[in-house]
Amino acid sequence: GRLEEYREFKSVWGEVIEKVREKAPNGPPQISGWAEEREKIDLKHFEDLDDGMVETSGKMADAMSEALKEDPDGEEDTIGLDGEDDDETDLSSPPGSRPSTASSTQPEEIEIDWNQFQITDHVRKYLRTGDKRYRSMFVKKMKQLGKGERSHKLQKPLKGCKSVIYETYLENRTGWRILWTQESTKLIIWFVVQHKSVSRFAKLIDDAKNRSERQQLPQNFVSELIDDEELAAQKADARQGILLDPSGNVPLKLYEVSYDSLDDIQNKADWNPQMHLTNEEKEVVEAKGTILLLGRSGTGKTICISNRMERDRQVLGHKHGFSQLFVARSSRLRNYVRKLMLGDINSTEKTSDKSLVFNLYEELVHNVERALHPGERKFHPKGRIMFAKFKEEFYSANYPKGKVAALTVWKTIRTFIKGSIEAFMAGGVLPKRNLSTLGKNRCKIPEGQETHVYDIFLHYQQWREDNGLWDDCDRIVALIQSIVEAESMCSPAFEEMKKNKIYVDEVQDYTQIEMLLFFKLGKGPGALFLAGDPAQSVVEGTDFRFDEIRSVGYYITESNPSKRRLIPEKPRTVNVNFRSHAGILNCASGFLRLLFDYFPGSAQALERDYGLFKGARPGVFQGVSVEQLLTLIRKIPMVPILVHDDEVKKWKKSLGGYSNVYGIAEAKGLEFKTVIILDFFADLPKSVQKPWRELLLGRERTFEFRNKHPLVETHLKFIYTAVTRSIETLYFAETHSSDAGDAACRWLLQGELQPDGKAIATRNKVDDLRVERAIMTNDELCVVGIENAEMALSSDLGIDQAINFLQRAKDAFEQAQNSDLCLKATVHRNSLLQRSEILRAAQSTGLFETASVEKNTAKVAASLLEENNLEETATLINALSPLLNEYIQSKLDENIVSRIKSF
């Protein structure tokens, strides 16, 4: 009976239930899993710089400590009982006056606005989480500087720096110092550090300031990249005020603090200063209505999203019921933006604010389905059709000598026949007569093949229904129809799902009906902020154009034309690349030129993006052996190797089980200091080897080429994505001769030129490569491991891919000698293996032992909870649930899954 069933349930799941109860927070929600581990690493990031920076960066010479010798007279000063410094001299002058200084290195003085200054994210974190007494001391010192007081301990210039860097004594007993510089008329507070670390952090400031000036591209070089002279001049002006973060080639994030608001630092528990925005960022962030922001990889689109989210909270957050939703396909991107927004919130300072939600796209769809149809599950994952399944099980089986490429047919079905706004308006499927009216620039079917492609679609629909399968369009159309019904009934459940503002990154990977879903979930047509790069559209079957979004917006405002002003007439763009230097970007731009020339309309033709810095051109290893590759790997430990996604297993085996082999699609959204792109051209399908050769050697006519070889368009987007994963160093490695590979090496080394007339790449030999063995601190290795572990959470990945990411994570943790993280990765990997076993059981046509699978799953779930991996625990149990009876399903949801989601 039911009692016996309950006892059996408790015997299997009792330990898991008890562990969930132990995890239940007494206060606000808690960060768990890999996000928690990242917080631990990040919280001590700058402290670790003090111990590990010499190893991490060769620029940090020991001689600098001597060059930055401080006067000995200030080291033994003490603070009186009332917190006052014993010997400071008060040289008061009115607020806003120029400071006096004894420094001989001080440049010609500029009137400084002492009523306003800027702090870095490091200082913001210090003030938000530091001891109240130290916050009070900081406020006191800033007030003294703001009033114009000067003394040796308030404005002491450091010796031996190329830049003028000042230190202010925060207090003397423990030796804390404030490091700051004067930038034009502004004061920048960079760090609050202990006395022993002053020379190290001063070098970081010095290096960041001088790197910007030293490596900036000449203006005439930039002008050649941008055809519009006025735009080029605007970009040049924008570059002048850019400061670099000491930890990399990214803009320094700054926050505004005013003299009048200083007391808030010590008096307000929720103090959080406003982020400083450049003029270009202000235009994007402050624009009204729905915004579409386009930019190439590394140009700061995601930063603009987080800035817009922060501004919306500051401007609208006080309104009752205000809510925000960020959506991404990648868990890494989702986690990155969450960190940008929530910053230093750690285990002792959690947020219970449910008005700010960060969802993976799959999570969002599932949540809306569950809200509208609780307890129902119409679209089981095992019935999902994606391109690989479409090609292998349907197209190749029925059309082995198809007149039209399988990818072209799939793209036509997914993007137009089922995924367009016209299809939705027609009831879910675009009529045959309307397919030819879409236009050649939009729907790229070879001329005269429209009827044939539509007949294939009808055959596909019948095959799909006969086999009980579904594709993404079926699911989203059904969901939107449910939303329309809920709207007509004023459903409270749906109204709770709607958000005032919705922010979507990587928008190029969504079809029109998926974008319609975002509009439906927003409160009004002006609720969206969309960002993306059409050149990185690597989701098979998606063909993105700006007009696609505008058409959806016009459909939404059809009943209220006055709201049409909230739909953007044109996208806003960003072109300055902060991730990669010019050496890498010139290579990326070469591939983009081919994409635009041979596949016009395949991606929005933005201005050519450029980096702020000069840098080494990519290296080409032609005819490199596997043994030489292994030598290169030994010279650059943990270097990521990017290959075609279906070649990952082959190359891992060939390289002796090397775990850092990534498929290009799975590496999307990641960035690495050094990248090796391995056999991209040699591993291209035979059918496109000669077309690629003719393309690279300039022998093909553009119009005919795009119709005959549509797969090359996808390959061009893949190689662009691969190139732009690199921050500093990029290598192309081709192990053997091929038509495409030989032509590519010739093109890289001779055919494509930079604006300065040089080839975009150089020829290299592994034996001649002088690479200092890259030394990473244990924390840096842990960060690499955590990034890979977080990627394993992505809903985009198959289980095998996720297991690969966790193996990379485990390898990194082993190198870092971190047994705790190594155990956490092992337990997470065991859960994925168990999910794989569950999937095989679900797909099995024979008998299998449900009780055994259930018990094993419960054991793994208990181990996950022991490691505080709540998200994977819920995912594992959800995977098992369909195999169990309804009673057990309801008990699992009630006692475990729902509780975890409430944390």
Side-chain angles (χ1 to χ4, degrees), residues 281-457:
E281 289 171 331
K282 283 181 180 177
E283 288 182 9
V284 173
V285 170
E286 296 177 359
K288 295 181 179 180
T290 284
I291 304 299
L292 174 60
L293 179 65
L294 300 183
R296 299 293 174 233
S297 173
T299 53
K301 301 182 297 296
T302 305
I303 296 295
C304 282
I305 285 182
S306 65
N307 289 345
R308 175 62 180 243
M309 292 175 72
E310 181 63 32
R311 181 183 182 277
D312 286 345
R313 286 186 79 73
Q314 291 174 349
V315 174
L316 304 171
H318 65 281
K319 294 187 176 181
H320 177 70
F322 177 74
S323 56
Q324 295 171 287
L325 168 67
F326 172 80
V327 183
R329 288 188 182 271
S330 157
S331 60
R332 182 182 182 277
L333 183 57
R334 185 268 313 269
N335 295 341
Y336 174 65
V337 173
R338 178 162 56 194
K339 179 172 176 56
L340 284 176
M341 291 301 299
L342 302 182
D344 53 331
I345 293 177
N346 55 53
S347 58
T348 60
E349 183 191 5
K350 307 298 179 187
T351 177
S352 59
D353 185 2
K354 294 185 179 180
S355 68
L356 180 57
V357 179
F358 301 87
N359 271 169
L360 295 176
Y361 175 67
E362 285 292 329
E363 287 177 338
L364 174 65
V365 172
H366 176 71
N367 291 342
V368 177
E369 286 175 333
R370 191 172 59 178
L372 296 178
H373 304 288
E376 293 184 24
R377 191 174 191 182
K378 296 181 180 179
F379 299 94
H380 196 280
K382 69 179 183 180
R384 186 183 185 188
I385 305 171
M386 299 183 73
F387 176 62
K389 191 179 185 75
F390 168 83
K391 182 181 178 182
E392 293 168 14
E393 298 184 19
F394 170 75
Y395 195 77
S396 296
N398 293 285
Y399 303 92
K401 297 182 179 179
K403 300 176 185 177
V404 183
L407 182 60
T408 299
V409 176
W410 177 249
K411 184 180 292 185
T412 302
I413 293 173
R414 174 179 161 82
T415 301
F416 304 111
I417 298 179
K418 297 180 74 172
S420 66
I421 192 65
E422 292 92 342
F424 181 79
M425 293 168 67
V429 173
L430 187 73
K432 179 188 288 190
R433 64 181 180 276
N434 291 1
L435 184 58
S436 59
T437 66
L438 295 178
K440 294 179 181 178
N441 288 332
R442 185 179 176 194
C443 184
K444 305 177 186 70
I445 302 175
E447 190 172 354
Q449 296 297 322
E450 292 88 353
T451 299
H452 175 61
V453 169
Y454 201 91
D455 289 341
I456 295 175
F457 158 69

Side-chain angles (χ1 to χ4, degrees), residues 405 599 644 680-696 700 705 708-716 738-741 743:
F599 299 93
H644 290 280
F680 178 86
F681 300 99
D683 282 342
L684 288 169
K686 289 183 180 180
S687 61
V688 295
Q689 282 286 330
K690 288 185 178 179
W692 259 97
R693 180 189 67 189
E694 302 304 291
L695 170 79
L696 291 165
E700 281 283 356
F705 189 84
K708 290 191 296 183
H709 309 293
L711 192 57
V712 174
E713 175 190 337
T714 300
H715 293 153
L716 281 166
S738 66
D739 287 338

Side-chain angles (χ1 to χ4, degrees), residues 222-240:
V222 175
S223 299
E224 291 187 43
L225 298 177
I226 301 178
D227 297 330
D228 188 325
E229 291 184 8
E230 184 177 348
L231 179 60
Q234 291 174 358
K235 297 295 182 187
D237 291 341
R239 298 188 312 155
Q240 299 307 311

Side-chain angles (χ1 to χ4, degrees), residues 698-882:
R699 297 173 181 170
E700 281 283 356
R701 286 165 41 174
T702 56
F703 180 75
E704 295 176 356
F705 189 84
R706 76 173 186 178
N707 286 328
K708 290 191 296 183
H709 309 293
L711 192 57
V712 174
E713 175 190 337
T714 300
H715 293 153
L716 281 166
K717 291 180 177 179
F718 268 95
I719 189 63
Y720 169 77
T721 300
V723 168
T724 53
R725 297 312 92 205
S726 174
I727 297 173
E728 294 178 2
T729 309
L730 174 66
Y731 299 110
F732 292 91
E734 293 287 311
T735 61
H736 61 273
S737 177
S738 66
D739 287 338
D742 295 347
C745 291
R746 180 176 171 184
W747 180 81
L748 287 164
L749 298 170
Q750 301 174 23
E752 185 73 6
L753 301 179
Q754 297 183 138
D756 61 3
K758 294 181 180 179
I760 60 173
T762 62
R763 188 183 298 277
N764 290 76
K765 293 182 179 179
V766 173
D767 295 341
D768 297 336
L769 193 63
R770 296 291 181 261
V771 179
E772 294 294 331
R773 182 175 175 84
I775 301 176
M776 302 178 78
T777 66
N778 284 348
D779 272 352
E780 287 174 320
L781 285 167
C782 286
V783 168
V784 170
I786 290 169
E787 286 178 347
N788 278 283
E790 288 178 329
M791 280 300 295
L793 297 170
S794 174
S795 60
D796 295 345
L797 301 180
I799 290 179
D800 288 344
Q801 288 178 304
I803 290 172
N804 288 338
F805 274 107
L806 281 167
Q807 184 59 51
R808 294 176 192 128
K810 187 170 177 287
D811 290 347
F813 297 145
E814 285 177 348
Q815 285 199 38
Q817 302 176 48
N818 191 316
S819 58
D820 290 341
L821 290 180
C822 200
L823 175 61
K824 194 181 191 81
T826 300
V827 171
H828 192 164
R829 187 172 181 272
N830 289 342
S831 176
L832 290 172
L833 292 171
Q834 183 64 19
R835 280 205 273 147
S836 183
E837 181 64 26
I838 292 169
L839 185 61
R840 280 193 292 272
Q843 295 175 342
S844 173
T845 56
L847 296 174
F848 64 91
E849 185 57 49
T850 305
S852 174
V853 174
E854 183 183 0
K855 288 178 181 178
N856 289 337
T857 303
K859 289 179 182 178
V860 175
S863 299
L864 287 168
L865 289 169
E866 193 69 34
E867 296 300 321
N868 205 31
N869 196 336
L870 304 182
E871 183 174 354
E872 176 60 22
T873 304
T875 301
L876 174 64
I877 292 174
N878 283 333
L880 174 70
S881 189

